[in-house]
Amino acid sequence: MKRKRLLAWFAMYAVLVVLAIMWTYPIVVAIQKSFAVGGVGNYTAVLNHDQFNYWSAIGNSFLMAGGSTVIIVVISCLGGFAFSRMRFPGRVFLYRALLACLAVPVASVVTPLFFSINSLGLRDSYFGVIIPLVAFNVMTMLLLTKNHFDGIPTELVEAATIDGARPFGVLWRIFLPLSGPLLANVSVLSFVYSWNEYLLPNLLISSPEKYPVTQAIALLQFERMSQEQIGQLYAGLILMTIPSVIVYLFSQRYLQSGLTAGAVKS
């Protein structure tokens, strides 16, 4: 028995080490190349680049990612509570139909998406990107939120209802205070997903001054690049990831409890 546990422990950590190497190797290579030719000067060159305005791109990314995150949190909380605790005709069918949208990749609907946003007059605008970001990320967060709300004791809801609380009051006074880790988890995941999105901004944003970091990094690329320019490109990639990594690290302690709270039931 002890030998089996030791073998299981060894196998688990062997797999984790292999996965860690696979994930960290590209990062290590990028950092090494960003210092290879030019050193710290590559980072200074990126921050003072003529075409690539790092701080403007960071602000655009925060606006798009932050705006979509706020909307996703609100929709997922309201929708998760409705599907978890409210009874209405077609509830199960509608919930399953919404979850089926998880199987639809963004790339498969770029043409109708482009024409829809363009017809609404929202192309080349921040809100024109925020709407699709919400649409493609909210389903996952709705799943997590609904499953977490399913685990909250029914007795609390019944006691609040007896005291005269309406559905929104139950959500606000009972469910949300008990869902701190989940809300942090939904917020962080929504922010990181939106921050790293490349296809939607590239499809819908055409003005360089509105580029988020994932799109603005293309301004550092040229047809024929010197070794120093390649180093600057890698430096830009590293700088691009720093804000999302900081957000992740500061909220890491909430992620595990939030994920387990919203990923057990189906």
Side-chain angles (χ1 to χ4, degrees), residues 125-166:
S125 69
Y126 298 121
F127 200 61
V129 178
I130 290 175
I131 291 176
L133 284 175
V134 172
F136 286 105
N137 291 325
V138 73
M139 290 300 102
T140 302
M141 306 310 158
L142 175 62
L143 173 65
L144 294 177
T145 307
K146 188 262 184 187
N147 289 342
H148 171 72
F149 286 169
D150 285 344
I152 294 179
T154 307
E155 291 77 10
L156 296 177
V157 180
E158 294 174 349
T161 303
I162 292 174
D163 290 339
R166 294 183 176 273

